[in-house]
Structures are given as C-alpha cells and as structure tokens.
Amino acid sequence: MSLRAIFVALGLLILFPPQLINAESVPTLAYVAAKDANPKRLDIFKKGLADLGYVEGKNIRLEYRDAILDSDYDGVIAELIARKVDMILAANVAATRAAARATKTIPIVMMAVFDPVGIGVVKTLERPGTNVTGTTMYAPQLIAERLHILQRLVMPRLDRVAMVLNGQNPNNAAQFELLRTETQKLGIAVEQLDIRRPEDVDSAFEKASGFGAQGLTNAVDTFINSRRFALAVGARKLKMPSVMSDVEYVMAGGLMAFGPGHYEGYYGAAKYVDNILRGANPADLPVAGPTEFAMSANRTVLRDFGLSLPPDLAIRVNEWVD
C-alpha cells in the first residue's frame, strides 16, 4: 500500500467510526414510539444526531415503528429483532420494557423514559448494569408540586382530587402512593382513575364525577399521554381543573402542566447513540435525568373555567398556550 493510501485510510478512521465506513455496515437504529406521540420529540432527537455528525441515509439508518396499547409493543420489538437491528431507541416505558424482555444483547437507548429503576430495566441510574441506558424524565417530587398548584386553583378549598393512571404500568401505583401520602398530610381525599384502553376514559370521568373530584392530575405513562386529547375534553366538560405532567397535555386542550417535558431527554439520547456506536457498553453509561423544568398554562381554558392565576404562579409560567 502506498504512503498516500495509508494516510487516506487513517483519515477515514478518524472521521468515522469503523462501522460507518462500509455502506453495507451502516448501523440500523429502530425508533419505537406511541402512535400519536408528538412529532417534535423525534425532530429534536434527529437534531441531536445531526449535531454529532450523523446523517440519516448516509452514515446511519433509522427504522420507525409505533404502537397504541402496551401489549402491542411485544410484537413490534420481536419483528425488529428478527430484522437484526443494531440498536433499539425506546421512546416510552412500554417500548423499553418490551425491548428489555426480548433481548439482553442489542443495546437499548431510552428517550426520556420514566423511572427506569422502578420498571426494572436498569439496576441503578449511576450504573445500569444491563443493555439499557439513556435518558429519564423521572422527577417524583413534582407530584406534590402539582397538587399544591391545584390547591391554589380550586377555591375556596381543594377537598377531593383524582389521578388518572394505567394499572398495567408497574410504576403508576408508586406514583399514586406518592400522591396519597401528600394528600393525607393536607386532609384531601384522593381517587385513582384506571385507564388501560381508549374506551376507559369516559367511565373514568364518570367515576371522578361520582367521587366529587375537584381537580385532576396524572401518573406519567405512555398510554395515558396518548389519551391527552380525550382527557382534556372530559375535564373541560366537567370544568375540572387539571395540572398534568407535560406541556403536551396543555397543547391538547388541558388547563396546566408542570414537569420536565421530553425534549431535553430526546436531544440527550443522541449522545448515547454516539457513545455506543463508538464502542461504549450500555451497562457502564449512567442514565441522565432531567435538569430543566417548565410550567405551562392554557389561556383559553383558564378563561372558560373562570380562573385566573395568582401573580406568583403566573410569573412562573414558561409557556402560554392559547
């Protein structure tokens, strides 16, 4: 080999990881999300990839799959494993759990997934110890914060509050218990509204009405988030103030939200993809938690409910939706 050829080869090795040089070995990443997930999440993840030098169709391939019910994800993941994808990008708890059950060898990168220790896919956030790593939006302390915001909205007093949750999600029960602990301190009665199928939403609001709920919040869950439009309709029909976990609920017509959102975790997930493609072991990559928190509110819904935010709350709103 000539000296010039050697320098060219060395240059390629520096510019690209070995697995990206041969077009036939361009890695295939499978992105698995909820069917009606906010498309902006994927756009932000792609921006993270682009900032690291990855161009879809050139030095990386992406395959896209979605599902509705939690039980749908097992089939989706099985089909991707059969296609021998190089990495699974899990955009929610259901996808993460299904992937972790199905493979112990293919790297799985979580994208703003809630409570990875609680759902049993990693041993600790600091040292996952499995083929799963990535980003989480786990911030259980915000459950109490949302309750306190509801207290400020419901006058003269908040006596009863309901939480929508998915009984099939193992960490939703823990979230409800955190809410119950806080409500007991404040003398507030609490009820859970278990929603596992699309048709459960109407009956959940019937239960909430019978309970006399004056406010609504949610457990963080993929399927519950997919019902955000129906939840907004139900809450508005009953004029029930809601403080939810993500701005997407407010964009869907909900009243307010306070949480870490997903965008930070989606952008950050790209770094995990890069590290793993360069040879890092997922078991050794600490899971990154949220550092940015935001409050959002819907002016139209506030007006329809005859509510106005106290000045100290209004000044904390990062995003207003009309």
Side-chain angles (χ1 to χ4, degrees), residues 12 14-17 19-21 26-27 29 44-62 267 269-275 277-278:
L12 285 172
I14 292 171
L15 289 173
F16 302 101
Q19 63 265 52
L20 302 184
I21 295 174
V26 169
L29 280 55
I44 286 176
F45 169 66
K46 287 184 174 181
K47 172 68 164 54
L49 288 178
D51 288 348
L52 293 169
Y54 293 95
V55 180
E56 186 176 3
K58 292 187 177 180
N59 57 4
I60 200 168
R61 293 193 185 99
L62 287 173
Y267 186 85
K271 297 177 183 178
Y272 287 86
V273 171
D274 181 51
N275 286 335
L277 289 179
R278 293 181 181 275

Side-chain angles (χ1 to χ4, degrees), residues 14 169 225:
I14 292 171
N169 186 333
N225 189 59

Side-chain angles (χ1 to χ4, degrees), residues 230-248:
L231 290 170
V233 170
R236 292 179 76 165
K237 186 181 297 184
L238 296 176
K239 288 197 178 299
M240 183 184 299
S242 61
V243 179
M244 310 300 265
S245 60
D246 191 274
V247 65
E248 292 179 356

Side-chain angles (χ1 to χ4, degrees), residues 16-175:
F16 302 101
Q19 63 265 52
L20 302 184
I21 295 174
N22 188 331
E24 295 182 357
S25 64
V26 169
T28 299
L29 280 55
Y31 175 83
V32 185
K35 189 173 183 64
D36 63 350
N38 184 348
K40 187 175 178 181
R41 300 187 192 182
L42 179 58
D43 292 340
I44 286 176
F45 169 66
K46 287 184 174 181
K47 172 68 164 54
L49 288 178
D51 288 348
L52 293 169
Y54 293 95
V55 180
E56 186 176 3
K58 292 187 177 180
N59 57 4
I60 200 168
R61 293 193 185 99
L62 287 173
E63 292 212 9
Y64 304 93
R65 299 291 188 277
D66 56 41
I68 298 176
L69 301 178
D70 288 4
S71 57
D72 296 339
Y73 287 88
D74 289 320
V76 170
I77 296 296
E79 184 259 334
L80 290 169
I81 291 175
R83 292 178 65 86
K84 301 187 185 304
V85 297
D86 297 290
M87 192 182 304
I88 296 172
L89 309 173
N92 55 51
V93 166
T96 304
R97 293 177 68 206
R101 285 193 299 265
T103 177
K104 305 300 180 188
T105 55
I106 299 174
I108 301 166
V109 173
M110 301 178 293
M111 310 172 84
V113 169
F114 190 82
D115 194 9
V117 175
I119 63 174
V121 297
V122 303
K123 296 177 181 177
T124 67
L125 297 180
E126 295 76 19
R127 190 174 178 82
T130 68
N131 60 321
V132 182
T133 188
T135 62
T136 179
M137 57 180 292
Y138 186 50
Q141 71 275 13
L142 299 187
I143 290 174
E145 289 280 348
R146 295 180 194 114
L147 177 65
H148 296 156
I149 295 170
L150 273 174
Q151 281 189 294
R152 303 291 305 282
L153 294 173
V154 177
M155 295 295 176
R157 173 180 163 79
L158 178 66
D159 293 309
R160 296 176 181 270
V161 66
M163 171 182 269
V164 290
L165 53 79
N166 178 359
Q168 294 178 320
N169 186 333
N171 66 30
N172 275 202
Q175 294 179 63

